[in-house]
Amino acid sequence: MTALRSWVPGADGSGFPAEHLPYGVFSTGDGPARVGARIGDHVVDLARLAADDAGGVGAVGDVFARPSLNAFMAAGPDAWRHVRSRLTELVCDAAARPLVEPALVPVDRTRAHLPVEVADYVDFYSSLEHATNLGRLFRPDGEPLLPNWRHLPVGYHGRAGTVAVSGTPVPRPSGQRRVGDEVVFGPSERLDIELEVAAVVGVPSVPGRPVPTDRAAEHVFGIALLNDWSARDIQAWEYQPLGPFLGKSFATTLAAWVTPLDALAPCRVPGRPQDPEPLPYLRLRPEDDWVLAVDLSVALRPAGTAVEEVVSRTSAAGLYWRLPQQIAHATVNGAHLRTGDLLASGTVSGPAPGTEGSLIELTRGGREPLEVGGVRRTFLEDGDEVVLRGEAAVGDGVRISLGEARARVVPGAVPGGR
Ligand code: CA
């Protein structure tokens, strides 16, 4: 596949070339939030393009003059492919320039909004290395991996209402934690991140009807980076027996740009072996047995420093449980998918030092601080900024950058004042 050439200035060779075209929701000035597609350092205003009936993107109906992607996502794969192919032609065909140029907005003149009205939010736990590392840290005296882990994609239901778009500050949560034999209350002292890749559901499924692995991908609109902020001290005290609650529900950062699953088709690679073989409802045909070769990184800029440093590099290709298995499992009891469901991978960690997707792993439970920009960090301080990034090779030397998930920690409100 030869690399596409776009007439949009700066698009070729950027992380947002014509091969990418991720979707998001933006506004300018006091204008309404609406759907756009990113190309280079510009946003194509799809609401305007559709209103002008330019290039046939409006054929999918009134889905772009909306404050979320949900209406477009619900329109289904035929509509997604129609818009994507028309848009690709429009940004590559110089003859279309007069049609598209009026709808082109520099990205630095836009404000990003949460791209998806999040329906249900499920967070899986699909990295073998992360589950093993965390098991060792949280249960040092037991087997790191619980007996169920290799039989099913473990997950929990998260809090959809506190998912916020990249750039939204994260207030430090307060809660209960155990210090020695005492239970105390106050701001979390072990605030952490989790590097994750989320799938965004477009097409809902039918209540009561499980989605089989070989139909799962048809429901997925796209992929976006996600930071599952985690207060380890609150989590450690509350999580048994029912799992994470307030240690994670205070904030989740979602990237502003959702990369279409089709844009990532060239970076599908076979998943790692699974042992034991999963039960029949989790088995995969070879064509459904894929993970995404997306290179991921975590960068940290400590408060008061100008330096941002990468503290972890890893890959989504090492995940043990595949997306089709996660979807089959999440619906096998009859629970259905809804447009806007967010299915997060779980922290992505690799086997080597420096490939872990959380600070608790990178610092061995807070015992081995990182040196970042001349300062030491175990967990996050107020003012620290974290940026998650992802990159993928999509053929013929073309690399795309997933929309980043960025946020800064700020002091939180403490009940009773302080
Ligand atoms: Ca998580």
Side-chain angles (χ1 to χ4, degrees):
M1 199 174 70
T2 342
L4 298 171
R5 297 187 74 96
S6 174
W7 55 264
V8 177
D12 298 348
S14 76
F16 300 94
E19 284 87 350
H20 191 182
L21 301 174
Y23 298 102
V25 173
F26 74 102
S27 61
T28 51
D30 297 333
R34 53 207 191 269
V35 172
R38 173 94 181 251
I39 172 125
D41 289 330
H42 288 81
V43 180
V44 183
D45 182 341
L46 292 175
R48 167 137 193 198
L49 216 54
D52 294 350
D53 202 21
V57 299
V60 295
D62 171 25
V63 294
F64 299 125
R66 313 264 190 142
S68 81
L69 292 173
N70 289 45
F72 178 42
M73 298 198 302
D78 289 347
W80 310 339
R81 290 194 178 123
H82 171 77
V83 172
R84 185 166 163 76
S85 81
R86 294 301 300 127
L87 207 48
T88 307
E89 287 169 30
L90 288 170
V91 298
C92 292
D93 178 3
R97 188 166 180 160
L99 274 179
V100 179
E101 221 157 32
L104 222 47
V105 189
V107 73
D108 58 11
R109 291 203 2 235
T110 65
R111 185 157 79 89
H113 297 256
L114 187 63
V116 176
E117 189 185 330
V118 182
D120 290 300
Y121 164 37
V122 172
D123 193 17
F124 287 98
Y125 194 50
S126 289
S127 156
L128 177 65
E129 285 75 19
H130 173 72
T132 306
N133 291 341
L134 231 60
R136 283 202 183 105
L137 290 163
F138 276 67
R139 294 179 303 276
D141 302 326
E143 272 295 310
L145 221 50
L146 292 173
N148 58 6
W149 197 91
R150 286 177 181 273
H151 291 274
L152 56 90
V154 169
Y156 68 94
H157 282 284
R159 190 162 186 85
T162 49
V163 178
V165 70
S166 176
T168 308
V170 172
R172 178 179 301 274
S174 281
Q176 288 194 18
R177 60 180 191 275
R178 187 161 60 175
V179 181
D181 292 334
E182 251 193 294
V183 179
V184 300
F185 179 88
S188 169
E189 293 180 353
R190 289 164 73 92
L191 183 56
D192 197 356
I193 55 121
E194 291 193 340
L195 165 66
E196 305 201 16
V197 179
V200 181
V201 171
V203 182
S205 67
V206 179
R209 252 196 246 161
V211 177
T213 50
D214 59 0
R215 306 298 299 270
E218 297 166 20
H219 293 270
V220 177
F221 175 76
I223 297 292
L225 295 176
L226 178 143
N227 187 342
D228 173 26
W229 298 85
S230 301
R232 300 299 181 195
D233 38 8
I234 299 172
Q235 182 187 357
W237 172 229
E238 75 176 358
Y239 88 108
Q240 286 180 324
L242 288 185
F245 187 35
L246 302 181
K248 286 170 176 285
S249 64
F250 56 96
T252 304
T253 299
L254 184 68
W257 299 103
V258 180
T259 297
L261 196 56
D262 278 355
L264 293 168
C267 69
R268 288 185 184 190
V269 293
R272 64 200 283 173
Q274 293 181 323
D275 181 25
E277 187 182 22
L279 289 174
Y281 81 94
L282 289 172
R283 283 182 200 154
L284 299 163
R285 300 179 306 178
E287 58 266 46
D288 300 312
D289 186 1
W290 51 267
V291 286
L292 296 172
V294 176
D295 298 326
L296 300 165
S297 69
V298 179
L300 173 58
R301 188 179 60 77
T305 71
V307 191
E308 182 196 290
E309 248 179 56
V310 172
V311 296
S312 174
R313 288 183 201 279
T314 188
S315 168
L319 286 168
Y320 186 92
W321 290 105
R322 289 52 148 173
L323 181 57
Q325 293 177 314
Q326 293 169 336
I327 290 174
H329 185 65
T331 59
V332 75
N333 64 350
H336 61 291
L337 300 171
R338 296 196 292 161
T339 301
D341 280 358
L342 210 52
L343 307 172
S345 59
T347 310
V348 184
S349 293
T355 63
E356 303 92 335
S358 69
L359 293 172
I360 194 170
E361 292 166 89
L362 286 163
T363 65
R364 318 285 170 249
R367 288 187 300 275
E368 297 174 18
L370 302 170
E371 282 278 341
V372 188
V375 301
R376 282 152 70 92
R377 278 292 182 276
T378 49
F379 296 96
L380 297 167
E381 305 283 333
D382 291 348
D384 287 357
E385 186 172 52
V386 176
V387 192
L388 310 184
R389 294 192 175 88
E391 270 195 19
V394 294
D396 204 36
V398 178
R399 283 181 78 77
I400 64 173
S401 305
L402 270 60
E404 66 183 24
R406 171 191 294 267
R408 201 163 58 87
V409 177
V410 296
V414 182
R418 239 184 47 194

